[in-house]
Amino acid sequence: MSTNEIENLPYMEKYNPYQKAYLDFWKESVADIRKFWDQEARKLLWYRTWDKVLDDSNPPFYRWFVGGETNMTLNALDRWKGTYVFNKVAYYWEGEDGSRRSVSYRELYEEVNRFSKALQDFGVGPNSTVTIYLPMIPELPIAMLSVVRLGAIHSVVFSGFSAQALADRIVDAKSKVLITADAYPRRGKPVETKKTADDAVAIAAKSGVNVEHVVVVRRLGTDVPWKEGRDVWYHELMSKYSDTTYVRPEPRKGDDVLYILYTSGTTGKPKGIMHSAGGNMVYVHSVFKWNWDIRPEDVHWTMADIGWVTGHTYIVYGPLLHGATEVLYEGAIDYPKPDRPWEMVERYGVTIFYTSPTAERALRAYGDEWVDKHEMPTLRILGTVGEPINPDVWHWYNEHVGKGRCPIVDTWWMTETSAAMISPAPGIATVTLKPGSATFPLPGIVADVLDEDGKPTPPGVKGYLVIKQPWPGMPLGIWGDPERFVKVYFSRFPPYFQAGDYAVRDEEGYFWLLGRADEVLKVAGHRLGTIEMEDALLKHPAVAESLVIGMPDPTKGEVPVAAVVLKPGYKPSEELKLELIKVVRDNIGAIATPETVLFVPKVPKTRSGKIMRRLLRDILLNRQLGDATTLEDPSAVEALKAAWDEFK
Ligand code: WTA
């Protein structure tokens, strides 16, 4: 971008002295992104430096650090050998049942080398895919790092997903190796992970993908089904390799695949987002520093699950690239008591605490006394991610958790972006915060808000969020589906990356993120596709047509509400409703459980056959904002509304 273009960005004239230090830095970064990212990349270790910072000859398939060679674990582990970091705690782990374990950088390094060797002996090598289905235990980052060390590609599947969802991901990635655990505690009860994993392996085999090795970590010591020859205990496997085992981190090209992570989109099939070995590493390293002003003595805690991107970046790679200490918590955030997180902040001396609005709302709902009795003097920065944060929740977080002395870093980003894109950057310079605004784009990032015709909206007018220049953390593509990558992200406002979110900028240029503009829901911060749920409902023999709408919920942000049209011969009943709810749980997971299933004679559609889920939601909420005249059959809308009113 030319300096002239930057100066003409609508928000550049308006900034006040409190934003100046930051925006001056930002301006320089975006004026020449190649120069800027070149400097950032040089802060890390490479076997070979790149010939080109950015190859943009085949947009939107941008390639970063072309010709460069590195390995994430070289920077996350080996780099700390011989420094004091090697003796530092990498993870304070706490089980839900109160078990505790701390893992030093040295121990992490040794375990990763041993496990890498074991995986190598299974035939895992560069570009093999390994699916990881583990709860929040230290073996999860160990497994990820071991895979990456070999130049192989991990696909971590959230441990709350069902057998079917796990199988779909194993099949798409064609993984021959699966890493799982016996069981883990959730609200005091065991969740039988190995059983689910076995079911998934059986389903995958029907699609012709045979998992040859299942490595099982013993977490609870429960009885598990076992298949000799295929299944192996992690601890037995590891006992074959000594502490001095060494595996050289495989040189990966800047634009090789680092990992894939499946996420929901606007069609039924989850997309395997591919991140790059060089670009993701550089972007995560820089952003982790900017977001948290990370220092050697910090104890950082991202209270999220590694099964989602927030955990990949802010529990595993970000902290380790900085030699930081991270807290890894296994269980429910309010178990056994609603002050579990605050107790843990005090126990470990947490300095930076990062979580989601859903967690903040849930913890607030228990009453202020639970948080007010904890002084938490070590806290210095709070973070929030995953959904828009309501200003009243922001104030509660600020006053009761931060005691009015911790800035709140509201980070807007998504699975596709690798790390935060729009957020305050106390690691560079502070800006005045506004409750509910993620403030400004990070260095190197040019974001804008466009109207339907692709023109920037004036201040105060809502539009679609786009990213106007490539950045190192951008995806390489969608695993096995390059066309879909172009279609989903680059077809609406080419050549810009379309996030799928609504946003608005205010007079001072602050960005306010307003939620998804498409068929994606954020249920308790989890990203789910309405169409995936509709497809799941269609698998039930009674269902002729299905519809899923995201309805607002005071704690979870949004909850899915389903409506179905039954096939002739089927009658609505309480029993059938429960069966339909189960179909969704079985196909996706408990996180997708519909609030209810409404029985309707017809699914309301437009004349061209489109289902307008957002418009229907507004109608159910009695706040009809959109244009309802395009809907084909008013009686279908009335029937849906009547069913909803009856449910309420
Ligand atoms: C939403 C999570 C408002 C947004 C890291 C985005 C947010 C989706 C924020 C991506 C925020 C994330 N304010 N909305 N600070 N952070 N979102 O892929 O709608 O699970 O598109 O990544 O979360 O969800 P994902």
Side-chain angles (χ1 to χ4, degrees), residues 389-401:
I389 179 167
N390 340 39
D392 59 325
V393 176
W394 193 99
H395 285 296
W396 174 82
Y397 199 30
N398 179 37
E399 281 154 34
H400 294 275
V401 182

Side-chain angles (χ1 to χ4, degrees), residues 263 309-310 384-388 410-416 499 501 513 515-516 522 525 527:
T263 189
V309 75
T310 303
T384 181
V385 61
E387 307 146 73
D410 181 352
T411 61
W412 177 86
W413 60 296
M414 49 201 296
T415 307
E416 291 82 345
D501 276 41
L513 286 310
R516 298 289 310 184
K522 295 297 303 236
R527 179 163 161 188

